[in-house]
Structures are given as C-alpha cells and as structure tokens.
Amino acid sequence: MLIQMNALYLDPSMPKRSPDMVGQLSAPLQAGEVALVGAGPGDPDLLTIAAIKLLADCDAIVHDALVSEAILSLGSINAECIYAGKRGGRPSADQQDISDALIRLAKENKRVVRLKGGDPFVFGRGGEEARALVRAGVKFRVVPGITSGVAGPAMAGIPVTDRTVNSSIAFLTGHELSDESRINWPALVSAFPVLVFYMAARILPDLAERLIVAGLSESMPVAIIHNASLPDETVEVGTLAGAKSGSIKALPPSIVIVGEVVDDRTPWKGS
Ligand code: SAH
C-alpha cells in the first residue's frame, strides 16, 4: 500500500491518479481561496505532500515566526511572502490584523497559503482564522500538520504513549500558569500520566513547582526538546526537581514532556 501511494504521488510517469485514493487537499488552489496549512515542527521532510504542492503554487504565503527558512524556501518564487509572527514576549501581529490580511488577499483573488508551525489547530489560532474566513465568505481548506508536541518527543526517541505507562495524554499550554488558569492541577496530574507542554520554556521552574504541589513526585522525569527536527535541536532530560531548581533549563521554542515515558526514551539519532 505504502509503495503504491508513493508511486502514485511521486512518480511523474504514473498516468492518472485514481480519484478514490487521492484526497482533494493538494488540488491547486482556486483564485481567492485560502489554505490554512500546518508546516510541522521545522524540518521540511516533515511537511505533508499537500503542503509542498500548495506552497509551490500560490500567490501569497502568510507565515508565522516558527516556520523555518528551509520551509519558506519551498514557496513559489512568485509568491508574496508576508510575516505574521506571534511569539511570546515579542511584539506580535494582532490576530484581527492577520485575519483581515487573509481576507484582503483572498478578495484580491490571490491564492493564499496561511502557513502555521506544527498543526494549524493545535495552539495555533487556526480556528479563529477559519471562523473569520467563513464570516467573510472566503473559501478555504485546512491542511493538518505534524504537531511539535508529538514530533518533538519522537525526535528525542520518547514515545508519547507507551503501553506500560499511559493510555491517555494531555496537551497543554504554559500560558495556563497565569492567574486565570482554567486547570484543576491536582485533577490533571491524577488523570493524565503524561503531560506535554507547549509555550512553557520561560515559566519552567514555576510550572515544575505547580506540578509538584499538585501531587507529582520530585523525581518524575522531564524532557525538554528545543528546536525539534531542526539542525540545532537539543534534548535535555532531568526531573521535576531539576526543572524547579533550574538545573535543567528550556529555551523557547521547546516542548516540555513530563511523565515516565521519558524513561522509555530510545535515542535514535546518530544510530
Ligand atoms: N501549532 C503549533 C504550536 C504553536 S504554539 C504546533 O502544533 O506545534 C508555539 C509552541 O510550539 C512553542 O512555544 C513550542 O512550545 C512549540 N514548538 C513549535 N515548534 C517547535 C519545535 N520545532 N521544537 C520545539 N517546540 C516547538
């Protein structure tokens, strides 16, 4: 099956695609259409086929800070490249302005790729942009991407689920540490043996403390994967006590994974 699919997509000598096997995600964009596309964690090898095809044939690319240069270089040379970065702690584009820009480009009959790191609907505000496009009557499609919360641990050899450890997993944002946190921390740590945090690098010591107070052991393993899948990827492994004291540190962007699956790590790079 895999070989057949590869042949179907990648072998230019293959005559016609079988319509029942091929989805519509990679079909050329129409004038005035927007694609909300996930760019994965950074390595272009982790793009979807639809993402590559749409990037290569569009009029405008509106991208976030976390989309790598290597991926942007796959964009059509004719495409206008618009930076719409939002990044913790830095001046960021207003969400309304980004949605307005997408709508304006579509109304100018451009074929627009809205490129977001990871998956557009995982802590990526893709839902807000989709709703704004619907309200404006703009045709759009969504191309999922590989989210960094799964890809990051995998690059470090950490399975986010392991039969011996967990049958559930929680994905969270570090922003939940704020005063308006909607999380019941003791309930969280007792329900989910594995926690994966996005946007938690800057608040790691506070986060570790919060988890310990909520009931996790100080010796609970923690891994920090920084710039997952990129050439300067780093992996740090330690414990909640170490994260609290600062003996293991996280630089943004990082995925922080807490749970015994970290002990099941099988480093595979360089093997
Ligand atoms: N939609 C994205 C998440 C956007 S929120 C996704 O699905 O991956 C931004 C956060 O994603 C960062 O703060 C960081 O926690 C994480 N992140 C994105 N790319 C990353 C990478 N290459 N390595 C580690 N963390 C990454």
Side-chain angles (χ1 to χ4, degrees), residues 171-239:
F171 294 98
L172 302 104
T173 139
H175 289 166
E176 279 299 333
L177 217 61
S178 66
D179 290 341
E180 310 93 67
S181 173
R182 290 168 290 182
I183 290 179
N184 177 336
W185 292 88
L188 174 81
V189 302
S190 66
F192 295 102
V194 174
L195 308 173
V196 175
F197 289 93
Y198 296 69
M199 294 174 274
R202 287 193 182 82
I203 46 92
L204 185 61
D206 292 344
L207 176 64
E209 183 171 6
R210 179 78 67 110
L211 293 173
I212 292 165
V213 170
L216 287 188
S217 155
E218 297 217 335
S219 61
M220 181 60 81
V222 175
I224 300 160
I225 306 106
H226 171 62
N227 274 341
S229 85
L230 292 167
D232 52 353
E233 171 186 290
T234 58
V235 180
E236 269 207 86
V237 176
T239 61

Side-chain angles (χ1 to χ4, degrees), residues 40-42 66 116-124 145-149 152 197-201 225-230 252-256:
L66 283 178
K116 295 164 96 59
D119 181 276
F121 282 2
V122 179
F123 302 129
I146 302 180
T147 189
S148 54
F197 289 93
Y198 296 69
M199 294 174 274
I225 306 106
H226 171 62
N227 274 341
S229 85
L230 292 167
S254 287
I255 287 295
V256 176

